[in-house]
Amino acid sequence: MCDVVALTPRELVPISSCVLLPDRPLGIDVYLIKAIDSKPVLFCSRDQTLSEAKLDTVAQRLPGRLYVRCSDADRLQAYIREHWSDILRDDSRPLEDRTRLMCNVMRDVLADAFASRNIQRIAATADFLAAESTRLLQDAPVAIGELSKIMQHDFATFTHSTNVALYSLRLAQELGFSTDEQQCIVRGALLHDVGKLEITENILSKPDRLTQEELRQIRQHPTTGLEQLVDQALTFGELMIVYQHHERIDGSGYPVGSVGEEIHPFARLCAITDVYEALTAHRPYRRALRAKAAMHVLQRKEGVHFDREMLACWKGLVEV
Amino acid sequence: MLERAGGGMSNMISPPGEAAHETGGRQHAEPAARTAATVDDRLVVLPPELRERLEGRGYQSPVPVESRAWARLTVMREARLSMVHTPPALHSALPWPPHGRVIVKDLSRSGIGFFFHMPLFPSQQIQIQLSHYVIQAKVRRCRRHTSDCYELGAIVTQVRSSKEDRSADYMEGCASSSVRP
């Protein structure tokens, strides 16, 4: 275990020990760096398997962090995807670890799917992620504050979509939607901004005021998303999350300007979590707001932009 | 025949005759449950301010902030709409009648704008029967004016026409020519 290797930290990426499973070959060399100035040592070679006891040592007592080579990052992702369900279902692992892993893997997997621009693959990925995340958080709902700490808050569409999906799941649970409905909501939320894949990054991350044409392109994304997904195996509610998440109760939203109950309940729910996530995330054109400030912004539009009952429920969740 | 707008809503023609119904019926490809819906012959009522804004318009050139490439001819005439295809995932949305009445707002080489009393979704395929030609189109956008008035835009996918009508020549030109009308 203690062979010092001639690798620099730049050639390595850190991994969480919770992604490793006992008695299954990783196919990747895993390294340990005990302290900031120490050299990496080979912790487990690619053809070895880790025992349960060794993994426990890692999780509980081992100083330092585990790493893999940058060139092995893709292989590690494949390993995580292959064994993800097993890891998430392993009740002996702390829920927080599993939730963190779930967030990270959701982001990574969704990022890969979005990068492929293959709408069938994106929809299938959302389906898989929705099933796993709903199952994990079914019996042990995590507080929004905890979720927020675990989440990344960058501007990438896949990060935003993952966060909105998890927030939406919690709100759906609290509002008493059935498990099937919760899965639909997570699926729809993961896909809600899929139409933005057609918009150039220059526009999405433009720090200055948008021109009318740029604004028109941004406002087109719910329609584009619906058109892209309408032939996939999605339910009406999921499609309405994609199409109506920018509609507002008073009719001031887009693309249609639907009012009140003309807006599907899933979309009304997602409108709240979408705006909350956007406000609490770092954007190129403004700084992230704290939870309290973001809630204040939402509450100013209670019953005007957002469903009163759903917003009250969301407020209760955020303030826990 | 298409008339340039100028006389406002009074220019609207009477509903199309039997032929239009037959054409619409043959083209209709909605599932049985949907076709069983009651035929809704309501005609959309435009809010007065919208009606005033649209009155007296003729050709309209595209402006830079729009994405459109072609000039539009304001029409403001009543026509018959038939639902041709609704993606299965959207079937549960609304009880769309298989046929309905619309007010065609404008036409261009590639698109048609109209008012309907119900919202339609992007990707729904429709057919609009004007006096002497039939336009098949795919809904691209929908905007609500009131609970009974929605403004829709659709991409023209096919135009079938009668040669006696000069407006048909116009539409054929729109569909095939590379020259902007």
Side-chain angles (χ1 to χ4, degrees):
Chain A
M1 163 175 152
C2 293
D3 303 339
V4 176
V5 288
L7 284 168
T8 63
R10 282 192 170 194
E11 293 173 87
L12 300 169
V13 284
I15 64 166
S16 165
S17 61
C18 70
V19 304
L20 304 175
L21 287 172
D23 308 321
R24 289 181 212 198
L26 251 178
I28 304 167
D29 292 334
V30 179
Y31 302 93
L32 172 73
I33 299 181
K34 287 184 179 173
I36 292 173
D37 295 331
S38 57
K39 301 228 174 205
V41 294
L42 186 64
F43 178 72
C44 176
S45 69
R46 61 186 58 227
D47 42 5
Q48 285 180 318
T49 56
L50 286 161
S51 67
E52 189 97 42
K54 194 169 177 179
L55 275 175
D56 281 348
T57 314
V58 176
Q60 288 159 21
R61 292 194 300 275
L62 197 70
R65 276 201 83 165
L66 296 179
Y67 291 79
V68 297
R69 285 173 194 260
C70 294
S71 55
D72 279 337
D74 285 347
R75 223 171 287 173
L76 179 70
Q77 280 302 316
Y79 170 88
I80 292 171
R81 270 172 238 165
E82 189 182 338
H83 301 298
W84 195 49
S85 300
D86 295 341
I87 300 169
L88 294 185
R89 285 161 206 235
D90 182 356
D91 292 337
S92 66
R93 290 163 189 266
L95 179 66
E96 193 190 326
D97 281 1
R98 285 182 285 150
T99 310
R100 178 177 286 113
L101 173 67
M102 184 184 70
C103 278
N104 291 338
V105 177
M106 279 175 90
R107 275 185 70 252
D108 288 348
V109 173
L110 202 62
D112 284 356
F114 279 6
S116 76
R117 301 288 172 117
N118 179 332
I119 208 72
Q120 208 169 352
R121 182 177 159 194
I122 293 171
T125 301
D127 186 40
F128 162 71
L129 296 177
E132 289 298 335
S133 54
T134 310
R135 201 206 56 77
L136 176 68
L137 298 184
Q138 201 55 55
D139 302 321
V142 180
I144 294 301
E146 292 303 310
L147 264 182
S148 184
K149 278 185 212 160
I150 287 167
M151 288 167 173
Q152 293 202 25
H153 295 283
D154 60 53
F155 178 56
T157 300
F158 50 82
T159 306
H160 169 69
S161 301
T162 302
N163 295 353
V164 170
L166 292 172
Y167 284 152
S168 300
L169 172 58
R170 285 297 293 116
L171 182 53
Q173 285 174 332
E174 207 64 17
L175 286 166
F177 283 102
S178 70
T179 310
D180 283 350
E181 288 170 325
Q182 289 171 26
Q183 266 195 41
C184 286
I185 288 167
V186 175
R187 233 182 337 254
L190 285 167
L191 297 169
H192 78 281
D193 270 346
V194 88
K196 280 192 179 166
L197 298 180
E198 301 299 314
I199 304 172
T200 61
E201 196 55 42
N202 291 348
I203 296 177
L204 289 177
S205 56
K206 186 177 173 182
D208 306 319
R209 197 183 177 85
L210 295 174
T211 64
Q212 265 188 293
E213 168 56 19
E214 288 165 344
L215 201 59
R216 189 197 62 76
Q217 284 189 44
I218 295 268
R219 290 185 161 208
Q220 187 63 29
H221 82 271
T223 302
T224 309
L226 176 72
E227 289 173 336
Q228 287 175 323
L229 291 164
V230 78
D231 293 324
Q232 302 301 315
L234 297 174
T235 64
F236 179 66
E238 289 160 17
L239 289 174
M240 287 306 100
I241 290 178
V242 176
Y243 186 53
Q244 294 187 321
H245 69 275
H246 280 290
E247 299 289 0
R248 298 292 178 255
I249 298 291
D250 64 351
S252 62
Y254 60 89
V256 176
S258 302
V259 300
E261 301 211 339
E262 292 171 2
I263 307 167
H264 195 282
F266 292 1
R268 273 183 272 150
L269 182 156
C270 197
I272 293 171
T273 51
D274 182 41
V275 172
Y276 180 85
E277 205 291 326
L279 290 172
T280 52
H282 301 288
R283 297 279 164 128
Y285 41 87
R286 58 154 179 74
R287 293 172 66 181
L289 295 184
R290 288 178 181 278
K292 197 174 173 182
M295 269 321 298
H296 185 66
V297 173
L298 287 175
Q299 279 188 284
R300 281 203 309 238
K301 299 293 182 184
E302 181 184 354
V304 181
H305 283 188
F306 307 110
D307 184 293
R308 203 177 290 275
E309 187 192 343
M310 288 181 177
L311 188 61
C313 186
W314 179 246
K315 186 180 176 217
L317 277 173
V318 170
E319 287 178 354
V320 167
Chain B
M1 171 180 165
L2 271 179
E3 291 170 11
R4 286 185 63 146
M9 303 303 288
S10 58
N11 268 356
M12 288 198 308
I13 55 167
S14 54
E18 287 302 308
H21 287 272
E22 282 171 22
T23 316
R26 279 199 302 272
Q27 291 294 320
H28 193 255
E30 292 290 278
R34 184 139 299 282
T35 51
T38 341
V39 173
D40 191 340
D41 255 347
R42 247 186 306 170
L43 181 63
V44 56
V45 179
L46 305 190
E49 66 277 11
L50 182 62
R51 186 191 296 235
E52 277 168 27
R53 183 156 59 84
L54 294 170
E55 266 184 20
R57 281 189 178 184
Y59 278 108
Q60 285 188 280
S61 299
V63 290
V65 293
E66 292 180 321
S67 61
R68 41 182 118 247
W70 309 104
R72 287 169 290 160
L73 171 65
T74 303
V75 179
M76 300 307 288
R77 315 193 79 168
E78 186 186 326
R80 178 147 300 259
L81 173 137
S82 304
M83 303 300 297
V84 175
H85 174 70
T86 297
L90 301 175
H91 274 149
S92 62
L94 286 168
W96 289 291
H99 307 287
R101 292 160 73 192
V102 298
I103 295 172
V104 176
K105 181 186 139 209
D106 51 27
L107 292 162
S108 79
R109 178 173 178 255
S110 58
I112 180 166
F114 59 97
F115 295 102
F116 191 39
H117 70 272
M118 295 175 81
L120 297 173
F121 286 108
S123 78
Q124 280 188 288
Q125 289 168 37
I126 51 156
Q127 176 178 284
I128 291 179
Q129 167 86 50
L130 277 156
S131 52
H132 288 89
Y133 55 91
V134 178
I135 296 168
Q136 287 213 354
K138 196 172 190 176
V139 175
R140 185 79 176 97
R141 63 183 183 84
C142 174
R143 187 75 198 164
R144 182 189 194 275
H145 286 287
T146 68
S147 60
D148 293 324
C149 176
Y150 291 83
E151 183 175 346
L152 294 113
I155 304 280
V156 173
T157 52
Q158 193 185 23
V159 180
R160 286 180 290 115
S161 58
S162 149
K163 288 289 177 191
E164 293 89 56
D165 190 347
R166 280 190 295 154
S167 61
D169 295 339
Y170 167 78
M171 284 307 299
E172 281 195 341
C174 284
S176 59
S177 159
S178 60
V179 179
R180 292 185 181 200

